[in-house]
Amino acid sequence: MDAEKEKPLPEKSSTFVARDNAKTDNQEEEIINTTTTTENDSKIPDPNQDSPHDDATESKPENADDSETKEEEEEEEEEQAECPLPPDLNKVSEEIDQFISTLSSLEKDESTHAPPDVPIFVEQFDVLVEAMIEEYDSKVKLSQLKEEDSSSFLETVNRVSSLSKALSLFSSEYKYAYSINRIGGVKQRAMSYLEEEFKFLLDDYKIHESDLVQENPPPEPSPKEEKNNLSDEILTNLIKLSRSMFAAEYEKECCQVYFVARRNVLEEKLHKLGFEKYSIDDVQKMQWESLEREIEVWIKTFKQCATILFSNERKLCDSIFSDNPSVSENLFGTLSHGVIEQLLNFSAAVALTKRAPEKLFKFLDIYEALRDILPQIENLFPEEWVNEPKTETSMLKSRLGEAMISIVIELENSIKNDSGKTPVPGGAVHPLTKYIMNYLTYACEYRETLEQVFREHQKSAIGSEYDYNQNNESVKQSPFQSQITKVMDLLDMYLEGKSKLYKDHALSSIFLMNNGRYILQKIKGSNELNSLMGSHWCRKRSSELRQYHKTYQRETWGRLINCLNPEGLLVNGKVVKPVLKERFTSFNAMFNEIHKTQSTWVVGDEQLQSELRVSISNMVIPAYRSFLGRFSQVFTPGRQTEKYVKYQADDIETNIDELFDGNATPMGRRKL
């Protein structure tokens, strides 16, 4: 720094000294001389005051107008001879530290003595620091400095804060007023610079921090290590800056910058996860398919917040404000509370949508997320921040619980209100059977949650168990189990009624077999549903299926087998040919009709279809083969045999294997 830049230093300092009107002229002269001796400075003029005590060496003669040029030259030479070297910041800093220590000691001692006058090096310190800040502010980022230089700068800023605080201890002293204002301005300038640096580093940290939004980020060994190292370096600088700003009592500004920066980061991460803010009206107007996708995104986001985002945000906050735990808790609480409020508002809006059966499972997903994930988040919260989200969550779970109970109970009405009079073609599984059983199977995957929901949120529930009459015995059931049993009983009654729509009793039995088998297979295929219904119910259902099977065989094949009864064919040991012809004719016509009709019937379950065909074959083919072997020789070979013996045993078996395919098929070709 050249001599011209340093020239104003003594002027500003002496001005401050001259402002002390409480001192005598001799005292002022003594202070100036003492300061000059200490700092090797020249005598100090005061351009703002015409004082009779100004140094003679600085005063102009009264006849200056007559010899102006000569005097200016002499004055310039004199200034060059007396001007000291620019003050050294390190040396001035040492003197500042000593001065701060002196003021602090006076304050602690509660002495009644007046504090010392403000020495000139205070003004020099102010000017030097201002120059440094101006240089840095215009072209230097603190993070770009070497560690030694950045530490030195922050040490200087901290010294400014300490000096400001020390001077303020004596704010009632008039002689300190100027210096308090002066150092306050320097501190303000320094804090403005640090605030911008703090903001810049927070943005830089956002760029370099690991991308923790991904659930399974790809492995990146070397680059990731470099990124983490850089993030650690930025974090270290952030900690230093926050401490400097807090030391200067600029914690409010520091916290505000941090809050805005990290709030923006969290919003960006939520957006990256796909979560968007929707109003209640937006959610109400959404098509269910679209809302389903948004719920999936919500659950993913909620999990990310609990397992990653909030945890890392808490760590960052605690690191930067490690010296101020209460500040860290308050900042993190405010930041995370804003995100949680968004998440809870969305789920509350979903809970208010119109109830429908298809919504049950997404409601369950939301309920489980609130039940399981929120406690993890609450563990990260300061205690005073927990109560509000807990209360909101409890109310939301109740609303969802009541909605889900209503949806499950509504299954009863879906059965009761189906008053269709058209039987299902071919005796196939009724669509409502498929719907109810698939619905219950899926619902029972959430059995534990639904048990909790019915237990905690069913308003009509008294106690935790219900009595259910099973085989004339009272069985204890949970509220949810009781509800499922009620639905199954209603479905049984419903199917029994629908079976009566068929005019053919055999087809009615096929219908009951199809539906019963479908229900039983669904229950056995679901561990939860099987456990819920119990082994007794399954055995009872299997017994009913066997009874339907017997009824079908009796109604269809019993009459056909009667045609093969040898009774009445023999008179006096001889075959009555007309009666035999009638028996073969009846059998052929009846079998042909059975094949034609029952080929269009449907048995979708392959195992049941196979069981039916095997049981029919075992019933019909041996009887037909025996009858054919005993009486076919009665007919004259040729035209008469072909007219009455239309099927061989293998033909019967082939045609039986074509039953229950659901398609009308031509009769199998006769095997000769």
Side-chain angles (χ1 to χ4, degrees):
M1 190 178 295
D2 55 36
E4 290 182 1
K5 287 185 178 180
E6 290 302 320
K7 191 173 180 180
L9 287 175
E11 291 179 1
K12 292 181 180 179
S13 299
S14 61
T15 300
F16 176 76
V17 174
R19 288 184 182 187
D20 186 2
N21 295 325
K23 298 294 180 180
T24 63
D25 296 338
N26 291 334
Q27 285 175 321
E28 288 183 359
E29 189 172 333
E30 182 180 352
I31 291 169
I32 295 172
N33 290 337
T34 302
T35 306
T36 305
T37 304
T38 304
E39 300 297 329
N40 294 321
D41 270 329
S42 59
K43 294 180 180 179
I44 305 170
D46 187 348
N48 299 321
Q49 182 177 347
D50 295 327
S51 172
H53 302 288
D54 287 341
D55 291 337
T57 55
E58 292 285 301
S59 303
K60 291 184 180 180
E62 294 179 359
N63 59 350
D65 293 337
D66 298 333
S67 57
E68 183 177 351
T69 304
K70 183 177 179 181
E71 288 298 327
E72 285 179 355
E73 291 176 356
E74 289 178 358
E75 186 176 331
E76 185 176 347
E77 291 176 0
E78 186 176 326
E79 286 178 355
Q80 289 176 354
E82 295 182 0
C83 185
L85 292 172
D88 177 65
L89 181 59
N90 291 333
K91 186 174 185 304
V92 172
S93 296
E94 291 176 5
E95 293 170 324
I96 290 293
D97 290 342
Q98 184 59 45
F99 183 57
I100 292 171
S101 178
T102 300
L103 294 180
S104 299
S105 299
L106 286 174
E107 195 270 338
K108 288 179 181 177
D109 292 344
E110 298 181 354
S111 175
T112 57
H113 297 293
D117 296 327
V118 180
I120 191 173
F121 56 71
V122 170
E123 178 66 19
Q124 291 174 335
F125 179 71
D126 292 344
V127 174
L128 288 170
V129 174
E130 269 190 328
M132 178 189 291
I133 294 171
E134 184 175 356
E135 180 183 357
Y136 281 18
D137 200 16
S138 61
K139 58 184 179 182
V140 179
K141 287 291 181 189
L142 195 63
S143 57
Q144 296 170 349
L145 296 174
K146 293 180 180 178
E147 173 68 22
E148 182 181 351
D149 294 337
S150 64
S151 296
S152 175
F153 176 77
L154 290 176
E155 185 181 345
T156 299
V157 172
N158 291 340
R159 187 173 286 110
V160 169
S161 301
S162 298
L163 177 58
S164 176
K165 190 178 295 184
L167 289 171
S168 297
L169 296 173
F170 303 95
S171 57
S172 60
E173 296 287 336
Y174 176 74
K175 61 183 178 182
Y176 275 42
Y178 171 78
S179 292
I180 289 173
N181 290 335
R182 183 82 171 88
I183 196 65
V186 175
K187 185 174 77 169
Q188 173 65 46
R189 184 81 180 271
M191 289 302 110
S192 295
Y193 175 70
L194 290 191
E195 186 176 326
E196 288 301 316
E197 285 296 301
F198 194 63
K199 191 183 301 181
F200 170 79
L201 285 174
L202 284 169
D203 289 340
D204 207 21
Y205 184 83
K206 175 190 73 174
I207 295 170
H208 291 98
E209 67 181 332
S210 299
D211 187 9
L212 297 171
V213 172
Q214 298 181 20
E215 291 186 11
N216 299 302
E220 300 177 35
S222 298
K224 192 172 182 180
E225 288 178 8
E226 293 177 6
K227 182 179 282 189
N228 287 339
N229 291 335
L230 186 54
S231 296
D232 290 342
E233 182 182 332
I234 297 171
L235 181 59
T236 300
N237 288 328
L238 283 168
I239 294 170
K240 290 179 181 178
L241 287 177
S242 69
R243 287 174 177 171
S244 292
M245 294 181 76
F246 270 67
E249 298 180 342
Y250 271 67
E251 59 268 19
K252 182 178 179 181
E253 290 78 1
C254 180
C255 292
Q256 182 64 22
V257 169
Y258 180 87
F259 176 80
V260 171
R262 295 311 297 177
R263 181 190 61 190
N264 292 341
V265 168
L266 285 173
E267 287 180 355
E268 286 177 17
K269 289 184 177 180
L270 293 183
H271 181 72
K272 189 172 183 180
L273 284 165
F275 180 75
E276 301 291 343
K277 291 174 66 174
Y278 291 107
S279 67
I280 292 178
D281 287 341
D282 293 335
V283 173
Q284 296 290 326
K285 292 174 183 176
M286 274 189 193
Q287 294 294 322
W288 177 243
E289 292 75 14
S290 300
L291 189 53
E292 272 189 304
R293 290 192 294 270
E294 293 300 328
I295 292 172
E296 289 170 4
V297 169
W298 179 87
I299 293 169
K300 177 184 175 184
T301 304
F302 207 33
K303 288 180 179 178
Q304 285 284 326
C305 287
T307 57
I308 297 175
L309 294 184
F310 285 166
S311 177
N312 288 334
E313 199 62 40
R314 181 66 193 257
K315 289 176 185 175
L316 178 63
C317 209
D318 287 347
S319 297
I320 293 178
F321 302 100
S322 55
D323 292 347
N324 300 275
S326 61
V327 171
S328 173
E329 284 196 349
N330 189 58
L331 272 173
F332 171 74
T334 307
L335 280 167
S336 52
H337 182 268
V339 175
I340 288 178
E341 190 173 20
Q342 287 186 46
L343 294 169
L344 292 182
N345 285 346
F346 175 82
S347 54
V350 173
L352 291 173
T353 59
K354 186 177 179 181
R355 296 171 184 178
E358 65 272 14
K359 295 182 179 180
L360 174 67
F361 308 108
K362 288 303 176 188
F363 280 16
L364 281 163
D365 290 337
I366 294 174
Y367 186 93
E368 289 183 343
L370 293 171
R371 181 194 65 192
D372 302 335
I373 299 174
L374 196 63
Q376 301 176 39
I377 297 175
E378 289 174 352
N379 291 334
L380 297 169
F381 267 68
E383 187 174 350
E384 60 270 21
W385 291 92
V386 170
N387 291 334
E388 185 179 344
K390 254 188 176 180
T391 303
E392 289 182 21
T393 302
S394 178
M395 293 173 60
L396 183 52
K397 284 169 61 182
S398 293
R399 193 177 302 137
L400 285 167
E402 291 171 12
M404 289 186 286
I405 291 170
S406 174
I407 289 171
V408 174
I409 292 176
E410 189 62 27
L411 285 176
E412 296 180 34
N413 293 331
S414 67
I415 297 172
K416 293 175 182 176
N417 296 337
D418 187 336
S419 56
K421 298 299 182 181
T422 303
V424 179
V429 178
H430 198 285
L432 187 61
T433 302
K434 292 182 179 180
Y435 173 76
I436 294 293
M437 292 312 301
N438 286 328
Y439 197 91
L440 292 181
T441 300
Y442 195 9
C444 283
E445 292 182 12
Y446 295 87
R447 178 182 174 181
E448 182 181 343
T449 302
L450 282 169
E451 292 277 16
Q452 178 185 356
V453 166
F454 270 80
R455 190 169 54 249
E456 295 180 3
H457 305 293
Q458 189 172 22
K459 292 181 178 179
S460 61
I462 301 174
S464 59
E465 293 183 331
Y466 289 88
D467 288 334
Y468 174 69
N469 192 333
Q470 186 179 86
N471 199 25
N472 296 323
E473 293 182 7
S474 181
V475 179
K476 293 292 184 181
Q477 292 187 328
S478 68
F480 174 64
Q481 187 179 16
S482 175
Q483 182 60 41
I484 297 303
T485 302
K486 188 184 294 185
V487 171
M488 293 302 300
D489 288 346
L490 277 172
L491 183 59
D492 277 348
M493 292 171 59
Y494 171 85
L495 293 173
E496 194 70 37
K498 293 298 178 184
S499 70
K500 292 180 171 57
L501 296 175
Y502 297 98
K503 296 179 180 179
D504 189 328
H505 290 172
L507 182 54
S508 178
S509 296
I510 291 292
F511 172 78
L512 291 171
M513 264 193 288
N514 274 326
N515 284 271
R517 184 60 169 253
Y518 185 87
I519 291 170
L520 191 60
Q521 292 299 94
K522 281 292 181 181
I523 289 176
K524 287 183 176 180
S526 167
N527 291 333
E528 292 297 336
L529 192 53
N530 191 18
S531 169
L532 202 66
M533 299 310 299
S535 58
H536 175 82
W537 189 94
C538 291
R539 286 195 300 271
K540 182 174 178 290
R541 175 65 61 175
S542 296
S543 176
E544 289 174 353
L545 286 177
R546 288 192 294 271
Q547 189 60 45
Y548 297 146
H549 190 164
K550 289 178 182 177
T551 301
Y552 161 75
Q553 283 190 324
R554 183 178 65 251
E555 290 290 332
T556 299
W557 302 101
R559 291 185 296 118
L560 183 69
I561 294 298
N562 285 337
C563 296
L564 304 178
N565 190 344
E567 187 177 344
L569 289 176
L570 296 173
V571 177
N572 297 324
K574 291 184 179 181
V575 176
V576 181
K577 207 169 184 180
V579 176
L580 181 62
K581 289 178 181 180
E582 183 184 346
R583 294 285 179 88
F584 270 105
T585 300
S586 297
F587 179 89
N588 294 337
M590 194 177 294
F591 184 75
N592 183 58
E593 182 60 28
I594 290 172
H595 179 272
K596 179 183 176 181
T597 301
Q598 298 194 13
S599 293
T600 64
W601 292 1
V602 177
V603 176
D605 184 89
E606 291 184 1
Q607 185 178 349
L608 177 59
Q609 187 185 71
S610 176
E611 290 173 359
L612 282 169
R613 288 171 177 173
V614 168
S615 67
I616 293 167
S617 295
N618 290 340
M619 181 180 182
V620 175
I621 293 174
Y624 184 72
R625 184 177 281 119
S626 174
F627 187 82
L628 192 63
R630 184 175 179 183
F631 298 106
S632 62
Q633 303 301 323
V634 174
F635 298 117
T636 304
R639 289 178 60 189
Q640 196 176 50
T641 301
E642 290 180 2
K643 181 178 179 180
Y644 294 104
V645 183
K646 292 186 176 294
Y647 301 103
Q648 296 298 317
D650 290 344
D651 298 327
I652 298 294
E653 185 175 5
T654 299
N655 284 290
I656 288 173
D657 286 342
E658 292 173 351
L659 301 178
F660 316 120
D661 276 339
N663 297 307
T665 56
M667 294 291 286
R669 287 193 304 172
R670 176 184 173 189
K671 294 181 181 179
L672 299 174

